[in-house]
Amino acid sequence: MKNMLRIEELRVTVEGKEILKGVTLEVGAGEVHAVMGPNGSGKSTLAYVLAGREGYEVTGGRVLFLGQDLLAMEPEERAAAGLFLAMQYPVEIPGVSNMYFLRQAMNAVRKARGEPEIAAGAFMKMLREKARLVGIRDELLKRDVNTGFSGGEKKRNEILQLAMLEPKLAVLDETDSGLDIDALKAVAEAVNSLRGPDRAFLVITHYQRLLEHIEPDHVHVMVDGRIRRSGGKELALELERHGYEQFAAAAA
Amino acid sequence: MGAATRRIDPPPFYGELFARERTRLPGHGRAALDRVREEAFTRFLGLGLPTQKAEAWKYSPITRLANREMALAEPTVPGLEEVSAWFGGGPATRRLIFVDGHLQPEFSHVGGLPAGVRVMGLARAIETIPEAVAEALAGCDPERAFSQLNAALTRSGAWIELADGVALEEPLQLLFLHRGGDSAVMTHPRIVIRLGRGARLHLLETHAGSGSGHCFVNLVGQAVLGDGAELLCDRLQLGGSGLSLLARGFLEMGAGARLRATTVALGSGFLRNEIELRLAGREGEAILSGLYMPRGEEHVDTLVRIHHEAENCHSDQFYKGVVEDRARAAFAGKIIVHRGAQKTNAYQANNNLLLSDRAEVNSKPELEIYADDVKCSHGATCGDLDPEALFYLRARGLAREVASSLLVYAFANEVIERMADARLQALTRRAMLERVPGGAALEAEGLL
């Protein structure tokens, strides 16, 4: 197993409050890991810290991504290195067309990797293909980024970006929240089609439901800023039956 | 504050200029018109030039500009490219073209318009319908000094009249080129628009000037929209450091009339747009959008007053500003809901991006409501780029500078997207992008 992401004893503070209290996690190439936990456990903080959002103070530990010190990199450098965060709340950017944004993002990542820009024709062909895969109407591609999109369309748009940018590690932050069952299936199918030996996924979710469609190799339970337990996919089912309370009691 | 400090007497050159020029103005010798001009000039002297102590001019250093000795601009002839660079519309678009306030008949073309459409230069209107012109000049804006000065000294502009039920599908363009000269000049164009019941007009109004010589443009537009009439108006203003453009629009709208006006005042030495609008009949609708982007030492300000005088009217103001360097901008928008104007819907938003520590914006939203069953809201913001949006773009691989440029572009483009004419819109977008820091790089990467 090729090691892709290595989080060691990561401690993170937000506005003076410690949210991550020593998280350790390893993700190998080709693996799908799920991080589950109750609200406020620090799951989304972990996702944002990995992607490099401002406002998080790392007070301890380190993160290696493909051997590089991830936390020392700018968000765009992380993207270029192959990290992708599908956001829980995708931002609306009125005034920029979705299509232009996608092409800019693709070319920025390619340029950083020393690859040539994608030709307009090849881009359009790929975009149509991937849009069909995630179930995004052509009309949404022409609209401004996420502007006027429904909750489900925004999430599909995140997965479309994921499919276009072809990252090495994709972090999905509560991609299932606010999705109806059809959208959930479509998103899961798209993610499954992107699985491969060189790509890893970190799927962050509150519910087990998404994991019925995206089968994880490993499941981690995060409670109060720490991974309390790790196991196989059966752990998700156990959580579905018994909830997080057993862990909350242990943490208290 | 005493009234005395809110105005100053106009400097003597105005009197000398009026005495010298009045006999050269078009239609001189027609008693009704002469009298209107005489009275307007007297009113101007009495009203005086407003100082920044006057509330409506608080952030607008107009007096410094209007106090300098100026002459009326002499006609000059530009090359065709200088003019055609600002063409909007399509192949059938008719245009009146003004250079330093003089109508250029060799470039203008307003022939072949459908029956019921009357479009002509103001001088021509004075020849053919002098009483109507005199009446229009006399009846507009009696309390505003610059409007009176315009009425006294105007010698060019446009007369646009559409009969009941007539629609002009192709846009009509009023193209102003302000070249200025070595010495300071001023012009006083006047635009009169009359739309009959159910008439429809798409107007493009562009002001461009590259000169650094002081050129003061005191424009007054007045429009009456009959019941059910519709006016679409796309405006672009972009000038050099020497251009001072003071543009006043006074509009009266009948029942069910609709106005959609988008004003992109990118910048120049001094730009001020005033819109005063009366929703005088039921179910009128006015959507006013605006963008300003001053940089360097430029100044752009906007004053909007919307009077809701009848029931069930809707007005929406959507103004955005991007202010850079040491530039200054101001926005004052007032919604006045008169007694009895029930079921009014009135909205106002003014959002500003400040791109430098020394840039300045003053935003002043105001509501005055004398009816009890209304929905009104206003909001103003002033600040930096949205950090969430910036992070989103960077997380997708865009470098910080590129992401910032793109967000500034997007912010401004939201207004430009409201322009109805594709050609003018494209031209405006290009000119806007030129003002975005890092915009050239975006353009090189195929943004437009």
Side-chain angles (χ1 to χ4, degrees):
Chain A
M1 178 197 84
K2 199 173 132 219
N3 199 320
M4 185 169 275
L5 179 74
R6 193 183 166 93
I7 305 172
E8 295 173 2
E9 281 298 316
L10 182 64
R11 288 177 170 272
V12 172
T13 300
V14 180
E15 287 169 1
K17 189 170 179 244
E18 188 167 58
I19 305 293
L20 297 187
K21 303 173 178 176
V23 172
T24 297
L25 186 66
E26 267 185 62
V27 179
E31 296 178 349
V32 174
H33 287 241
V35 175
M36 301 183 70
N39 291 330
S41 59
K43 304 189 300 291
S44 287
T45 297
L46 178 64
Y48 281 135
V49 169
L50 292 178
R53 192 186 193 221
E54 281 173 23
Y56 299 87
E57 196 196 340
V58 176
T59 54
R62 62 173 190 162
V63 179
L64 293 177
F65 178 56
L66 296 168
Q68 289 178 276
D69 178 3
L70 186 72
L71 301 178
M73 296 157 80
E74 297 291 338
E76 56 267 37
E77 293 171 333
R78 301 180 196 205
L83 181 85
F84 180 92
L85 169 63
M87 306 216 188
Q88 189 178 357
Y89 304 109
V91 183
E92 297 192 6
I93 307 182
V96 176
S97 90
N98 210 13
M99 212 182 281
Y100 175 80
F101 164 60
L102 273 167
R103 197 148 68 91
Q104 281 291 105
M106 251 181 113
N107 282 333
V109 168
R110 290 169 79 108
K111 206 164 118 191
R113 291 175 189 161
E115 296 167 12
E117 292 198 351
I118 186 165
F123 171 78
M124 285 310 298
K125 187 164 173 280
M126 184 174 177
L127 183 60
R128 291 230 174 78
E129 195 186 302
K130 304 293 186 189
R132 208 167 15 227
L133 177 74
V134 299
I136 282 211
R137 289 173 286 135
D138 278 4
E139 187 241 330
L140 291 187
L141 300 174
K142 290 180 198 140
R143 273 212 238 151
D144 292 345
V145 178
N146 293 326
T147 306
F149 286 31
S150 71
E153 287 169 341
K154 283 181 184 171
K155 295 297 176 73
R156 287 181 201 240
N157 202 29
E158 292 294 288
I159 303 305
L160 173 64
Q161 292 169 40
L162 164 59
M164 292 295 285
L165 295 176
E166 301 180 317
K168 297 193 175 74
L169 172 67
V171 181
L172 273 52
D173 185 14
E174 306 222 4
T175 299
D176 51 335
S177 71
L179 287 190
D180 61 37
I181 189 67
D182 290 336
L184 185 80
K185 274 188 183 160
V187 162
E189 256 170 57
V191 168
N192 287 331
S193 75
L194 295 166
R195 289 176 79 154
D198 298 323
R199 185 169 295 139
F201 288 86
L202 190 61
V203 180
I204 290 173
T205 181
H206 185 89
Y207 301 104
Q208 186 262 347
R209 158 177 106 129
L210 179 65
L211 305 179
E212 284 172 13
H213 303 281
I214 303 174
E215 196 173 298
D217 300 305
H218 302 273
V219 174
H220 311 275
V221 183
M222 184 181 263
V223 178
D224 191 30
R226 288 189 186 92
I227 305 262
R228 294 284 170 181
R229 201 167 141 196
S230 296
K233 63 187 174 199
E234 67 286 347
L235 182 54
L237 290 168
E238 192 189 320
L239 285 170
E240 187 70 5
R241 281 197 301 273
H242 302 299
Y244 294 111
E245 268 174 31
Q246 46 177 328
F247 300 101
Chain B
M1 210 66 72
T5 60
R6 291 196 290 266
R7 65 173 293 284
I8 57 167
D9 284 332
F13 82 84
Y14 280 103
E16 289 154 21
L17 184 137
F18 185 65
R20 193 171 65 238
E21 299 287 347
R22 48 188 292 192
T23 56
R24 296 170 54 195
L25 294 171
H28 172 71
R30 293 179 188 274
L33 198 61
D34 285 349
R35 194 171 54 245
V36 168
R37 284 177 165 150
E38 204 73 49
E39 284 171 7
F41 192 73
T42 307
R43 284 198 69 83
F44 164 68
L45 291 180
L47 290 163
L49 297 173
T51 70
Q52 286 180 255
K53 300 253 164 60
E55 187 59 29
W57 300 89
K58 192 169 174 189
Y59 301 107
S60 207
I62 188 74
T63 303
R64 180 166 54 80
L65 301 165
N67 235 352
R68 295 191 220 178
E69 181 147 356
M70 295 173 277
L72 294 186
E74 293 302 321
T76 59
V77 180
L80 176 63
E81 309 73 49
E82 208 180 326
V83 174
S84 63
W86 303 98
F87 279 6
T93 291
R94 299 294 190 266
R95 297 183 185 90
L96 286 174
I97 292 171
F98 304 88
V99 178
D100 286 328
H102 293 272
L103 180 67
Q104 298 282 305
E106 56 271 47
F107 294 136
S108 301
H109 174 43
V110 288
L113 289 167
V117 179
R118 182 141 77 168
V119 178
M120 56 191 160
L122 191 75
R124 175 85 196 290
I126 287 171
E127 275 169 40
T128 50
I129 42 170
E131 292 79 16
V133 175
E135 201 181 311
L137 292 180
C140 184
D141 260 354
E143 301 305 323
R144 186 172 173 275
F146 289 106
S147 299
Q148 295 304 307
L149 181 65
N150 175 291
L153 287 171
T154 188
R155 61 182 176 192
S156 72
W159 186 279
I160 301 164
E161 214 177 323
L162 270 64
D164 290 353
V166 172
L168 191 54
E169 298 299 344
E170 279 290 319
L172 173 72
Q173 183 172 20
L174 303 178
L175 191 159
F176 293 85
L177 205 56
H178 308 293
R179 304 173 96 201
D182 298 331
S183 59
V185 294
M186 62 178 160
T187 69
H188 304 272
R190 169 77 62 152
I191 301 167
V192 181
I193 299 171
R194 300 272 164 87
L195 301 187
R197 286 166 172 269
R200 233 169 53 225
L201 174 67
H202 183 179
L203 188 72
L204 313 177
E205 185 196 323
T206 55
H207 294 268
S210 53
S212 56
H214 185 50
C215 179
F216 178 61
V217 182
N218 174 28
L219 173 85
V220 175
Q222 56 189 105
V224 178
L225 278 64
D227 294 350
E230 204 177 309
L231 176 60
L232 258 182
C233 190
D234 296 326
R235 308 165 78 203
L236 169 63
Q237 302 164 347
L238 177 61
S241 61
L243 176 64
S244 305
L245 171 63
L246 174 57
R248 162 81 164 176
F250 187 89
L251 300 98
E252 286 178 56
M253 295 170 58
R258 293 170 55 168
L259 168 70
R260 204 168 106 208
T262 304
T263 303
V264 179
L266 287 179
S268 85
F270 174 94
L271 284 182
R272 176 175 166 104
N273 282 290
E274 297 184 10
I275 293 179
E276 181 132 11
L277 177 72
R278 291 181 54 211
L279 289 158
R282 295 170 56 92
E283 284 162 20
E285 181 187 272
I287 296 172
L288 304 177
S289 312
L291 170 69
Y292 42 88
M293 285 183 89
R295 62 180 178 187
E297 311 261 314
E298 291 175 339
H299 170 102
V300 182
D301 73 294
T302 303
L303 181 128
V304 179
R305 279 205 185 114
I306 298 184
H307 299 267
H308 280 262
E309 298 175 8
E311 288 183 11
N312 271 303
C313 290
H314 173 83
S315 74
D316 195 347
Q317 300 170 55
F318 180 71
Y319 279 81
K320 288 182 146 193
V322 179
V323 190
E324 214 198 323
D325 303 326
R326 302 202 308 190
R328 301 200 311 169
F331 175 83
K334 191 169 188 174
I335 300 165
I336 303 138
V337 182
H338 293 248
R339 199 176 300 279
Q342 303 295 13
K343 306 278 181 203
T344 286
N345 274 312
Y347 304 99
Q348 181 190 83
N350 176 227
N351 302 316
N352 296 283
L353 271 183
L354 285 179
L355 298 185
S356 114
D357 293 342
R358 295 202 284 178
E360 188 183 317
V361 177
N362 287 286
S363 179
K364 189 179 169 203
E366 272 182 288
L367 285 174
E368 243 180 73
I369 303 175
Y370 302 102
D372 51 19
D373 183 14
V374 302
K375 273 189 202 150
C376 294
S377 76
H378 62 73
T381 62
C382 179
D384 222 335
L385 291 171
D386 174 14
E388 293 297 321
L390 204 53
F391 171 64
Y392 190 71
L393 295 178
R394 294 179 71 197
R396 295 294 175 261
L398 273 63
R400 181 195 286 273
E401 307 74 51
V402 176
S404 299
S405 300
L406 192 56
L407 288 177
V408 173
Y409 164 82
F411 179 86
N413 194 36
E414 217 190 342
V415 175
I416 293 176
E417 281 181 350
R418 293 184 169 211
M419 293 177 109
D421 178 59
R423 185 166 170 189
L424 186 57
Q425 184 183 52
L427 197 160
T428 303
R429 194 175 278 137
R430 200 166 290 279
M432 174 272 273
L433 187 56
E434 204 262 314
R435 286 185 167 240
V436 172
L442 291 183
E443 189 164 3
E445 285 167 26
L447 177 63
L448 299 182

